[in-house]
Structures are given as C-alpha cells and as structure tokens.
Amino acid sequence: MFEVSTDRYGLPTGRYEVEDGRVGRAETFSDVLGEHGVDYQTILRLADAARPEFEVTNLRAGRPYRVYVNPWLQQPQYLAYQIDARRYVVFDLQHPDRTHVATRPVTRQWATVAGTVEGSLYETVVDNGGHPLLALRLSEVFAWQIDFFRLRAGDSFRLVYEARAVEGDAVQPGDIVAAHVRHRGEDYYAFRFESGAGDAEYFNRAGQSLRRQLLKAPLQYSRISSGYTNRRYHPVLKEYRPHRGVDYAAPRGTPVRSVGEGVVQRAGYEGPNGNYVKIRHNGTYTSGYLHLSQISVASGDRVQQGETIGYVGSTGRSTGPHLDYRLWKHGSPVNPVTLELPPSQPVPLQHRDAFRATVWALLPRLDGESVFARASSGAGPRWNDRTAPAGPHLANR
C-alpha cells in the first residue's frame, strides 16, 4: 500500500495543480473564488458550511491561501485559507458540506528573556530577543507594585514565559510563568499559580497576591512630567501653588484606564480640569482624571479595574497633551506614586505546599543560579532565608 503524503493543510500532494496566493486589499471571498470560475450559489453554500467557526467576511488582506485544481478536469477542487498562525479552513468546492476548520498542533516550552533597561522596557525586551507582547504582559503582572513609567537605566528584569511554535515557527507567546524585576534597588518577584478557583493569579515569594485594590498608574506607557508636590510653578498661571496630582506626558489619544473598580461620580467638562472623570472606588479611595480629549463613560456607570474611561488630551487649563491623575483617601489628596496598598487574598492554606513547589522549581531560572541550600545531611533541599515563601514576615515583594 502506498502512503499518501499531505501538505500543511492536510491535502494530498501530487494530485493537484497548486496555486498559491494572498488576499488582496478590498478583495472578498467571492472575488477570490470568482477568479476560478466558482458560481455564486456554490460560494453561498461554502460560506454557510464554514459557519460558525469562520465567517468569510473576515478574510484579511495579505493572508495566504491555496487553490487546488484537478489537472484532469481543469476545475478547482479545494481552497485552503490561513486564518491565523494556528487555524486554517479548507473549502471543498465540489462538496461544500465537507468544508472544515482545522488547527495545527502547538508546541510549548518554557523560555527565558532577561535584560538591563537602558531606554524603554519595550526596547529592552525586543533587543534581548523577546516578543514585544512580553513587555506589555510584564507591566500588567506588576501593575500594582511598579510604576513602569519610572523605570530608570540600570533596572533589570528576568522572566520565564511559555514559548509557542507551530511547525517550528514561533507564534505569539503564552503567559509569563514567573518574573523577577530589580527596580530602584528593590527586588520584585511574581509566580503564576492556580489555587483551585479556576483562574491563575500572580503571587510573590511569600504567597501574597500581587493584585491590589488600585493600579499603580492609569496609563501603560508614558512618563511622569510633573509629580505630587506642595509647591509647583504653574505654567499657565505663572505662580507657585500646590499640585495634588501626578502629570503623565503621553500622546493625544492614549487610552486612560480606571485604576480600580468603582462608580463614576462625574464625567464631563469642568472648567480648568477640562474633560474630567471622577470615580469612587469604595469608602476609602476616589480617583480623578483631568484634561481628557474624550470621555468614554457617563456618571453612574460602574467600571472595572483597567477599563478605558477616556483618552489623553489637553482640554481645560493645559499647555499640552498629558493626563493629570489625582487620588483621594477619605476625601484628602494623597500621592499615588508613594501610596502602599494591602494585597488581596494570599495562596489558600490548602495549596501552600503546591505553591512552594512551584517557587522552588522556578527560582533558579529567575536568579540564573541555584538559590537553594541543602541540609548538612544531604537529605534534600530546604528553603534558605533568601527564597523561603512560607510566611508574611518575610520582606518579599
């Protein structure tokens, strides 16, 4: 018996004349098949057969496709379209009901990327061989501990993540598994762990959740142009006065996110504040966002932590695009940069041993060396002072 070889779309090679192409700008499914003589009724049946896994209206310009032509009948038999790196759809032009969507297997393995910041986090990750998405994910992991706008030269990071590949070609990476950031002389650790509730969270070495009531900053990438101070020279009023907020310089239109869950108290234009949103998070904290170009919420709306509530602008008393971010505690202004918030729930007691095992396995990858001491009897590993995640008394971040 002869073994029939197949191509990347699972179709037999050697039986058909193959024509490779790419979807042109503004080209539709009908356009692609019409060029090969497929009638309109068959095109409609093919579109129906692909649903709901794939809508033919979602063809994207530049994506590859392959047409298989029967050399004896000189008519097309199949059209294979690459949906994304993993998925593809095979349209059976002679038997539309046999149309199907398939997925290529993805190989996964842990990989490490590390670097010392000289410019931006994004540039450092990419310069050290990491996918750009990892910079965003790292900032999200430590969103409650580190203001990534305040990274400075000499800060460093090392992260372990799930590298993914399809047929040997790298695709978008999976989650960050663990991370270590040294920022302004302080060490911050994160370990991804699923405690049984269904959703994985990030915890520090002591098993305390990294999630906090409020995010450290309302923008993902920018820089602080003016800090919280009792005396600042106002560029418009030309006088010294207190500045009870933090100014973030960012391009007009940059999304502004709510630092926490809450209810919108104000959303509209308010004199010197320009387009202004104020959110009450609980009985303790309230946040404000000034000079927005657009507002995406209305008074009375409930918003989630990280939800976009507006966009950076220069409305009101402002000399250029920026966000003036304010935070109040029990009605009094506080400095959001220096404010320390308590963590959410720690790793549940019944999962503490499994969490310790996770940390024990990952710490050597983060530190680049073995960080475990062995008992003098040689009976096995034990936690030393540097790595023990067992108690809240440890000064672990």
Side-chain angles (χ1 to χ4, degrees):
M1 179 179 294
F2 294 101
E3 183 177 343
V4 178
S5 59
T6 58
D7 65 6
R8 61 184 309 179
Y9 298 113
L11 295 171
T13 58
R15 291 186 180 180
Y16 303 98
E17 294 175 354
V18 176
E19 301 176 16
D20 288 314
R22 290 186 179 274
V23 179
R25 181 175 296 180
E27 193 172 24
T28 67
F29 185 62
S30 294
D31 295 333
V32 173
L33 288 181
E35 293 177 0
H36 293 85
V38 181
D39 64 87
Y40 188 65
Q41 290 302 316
T42 299
I43 291 173
L44 292 178
R45 291 174 61 197
L46 290 167
D48 287 339
R51 296 189 183 101
E53 289 83 1
F54 179 70
E55 291 284 348
V56 298
T57 54
N58 290 333
L59 253 65
R60 290 169 49 195
R63 298 301 301 175
Y65 66 84
R66 180 173 291 176
V67 178
Y68 299 77
V69 178
N70 186 316
W72 303 104
L73 301 177
Q74 283 301 301
Q75 63 182 17
Q77 181 73 40
Y78 301 103
L79 169 71
Y81 170 74
Q82 188 76 46
I83 301 173
D84 53 37
R86 294 183 57 199
R87 296 184 304 143
Y88 61 90
V89 55
V90 175
F91 295 95
D92 191 323
L93 309 183
Q94 302 304 316
H95 304 280
D97 58 310
R98 298 178 186 175
T99 293
H100 63 279
V101 175
T103 303
R104 294 193 184 90
V106 178
T107 58
R108 296 173 170 86
Q109 64 179 4
W110 284 356
T112 303
V113 61
T116 299
V117 175
E118 294 181 0
S120 69
L121 175 64
Y122 176 92
E123 292 170 337
T124 306
V125 169
V126 173
D127 289 347
N128 285 276
H131 191 283
L133 186 59
L134 293 174
L136 173 62
R137 289 185 177 164
L138 184 62
S139 69
E140 291 174 341
V141 168
F142 290 107
W144 293 270
Q145 287 74 34
I146 301 174
D147 185 346
F148 279 87
F149 317 129
R150 301 178 68 226
L151 285 181
R152 61 185 181 185
D155 287 351
S156 61
F157 65 88
R158 188 178 184 90
L159 58 93
V160 180
Y161 68 97
E162 184 187 69
R164 297 176 175 178
V166 175
E167 297 180 349
D169 294 328
V171 295
Q172 183 172 298
D175 295 307
I176 289 177
V177 178
H180 172 206
V181 174
R182 186 163 182 79
H183 171 55
R184 296 178 178 261
E186 295 285 342
D187 289 307
Y188 298 82
Y189 286 85
F191 299 91
R192 191 173 189 272
F193 183 74
E194 186 175 326
S195 60
D199 295 327
E201 290 188 44
Y202 289 94
F203 300 88
N204 66 12
R205 292 187 300 174
Q208 296 169 337
S209 175
L210 297 191
R211 184 176 294 275
R212 297 292 194 271
Q213 202 171 69
L214 302 177
L215 296 174
K216 200 67 174 176
L219 299 173
Q220 288 184 314
Y221 292 104
S222 183
R223 65 178 177 85
I224 292 178
S225 57
S226 182
Y228 185 100
T229 178
N230 291 321
R231 181 178 167 81
R232 185 192 72 159
Y233 185 74
H234 197 286
V236 176
L237 300 177
K238 308 298 183 184
E239 65 182 25
Y240 287 94
R241 59 191 304 170
H243 184 242
R244 306 300 195 200
V246 177
D247 286 350
Y248 289 96
R252 186 187 305 273
T254 301
V256 176
R257 56 186 181 174
S258 173
V259 295
E261 181 182 355
V263 176
V264 178
Q265 288 187 312
R266 299 180 192 172
Y269 195 88
E270 191 176 282
N273 294 337
N275 289 327
Y276 173 57
V277 173
K278 190 172 186 178
I279 300 172
R280 182 176 180 83
H281 302 290
N282 50 37
T284 303
Y285 294 105
T286 303
S287 61
Y289 313 81
L290 288 63
H291 310 307
L292 302 172
S293 62
Q294 297 179 50
I295 294 175
S296 303
V297 292
S299 295
D301 286 352
R302 172 162 289 279
V303 296
Q304 300 301 313
Q305 187 175 66
E307 181 178 339
T308 297
I309 51 93
Y311 299 87
V312 170
S314 185
T315 55
R317 190 179 291 160
S318 169
T319 58
H322 74 287
L323 173 71
D324 185 345
Y325 167 54
R326 309 270 174 131
L327 187 65
W328 296 269
K329 182 177 181 180
H330 298 302
S332 298
V334 293
N335 188 347
V337 173
T338 58
L339 181 68
E340 289 291 338
L341 294 167
S344 300
Q345 293 296 318
V347 173
L349 184 62
Q350 66 269 30
H351 299 296
R352 197 63 62 85
D353 287 343
F355 176 74
R356 287 192 182 101
T358 298
V359 175
W360 184 82
L362 288 167
L363 262 173
R365 292 174 177 263
L366 291 181
D367 290 344
E369 60 183 8
S370 176
V371 293
F372 299 101
R374 292 191 173 273
S376 57
S377 64
R382 62 177 176 83
W383 299 100
N384 61 24
D385 291 340
R386 183 182 176 194
T387 60
H393 64 282
L394 293 173
N396 289 324
R397 291 181 175 269

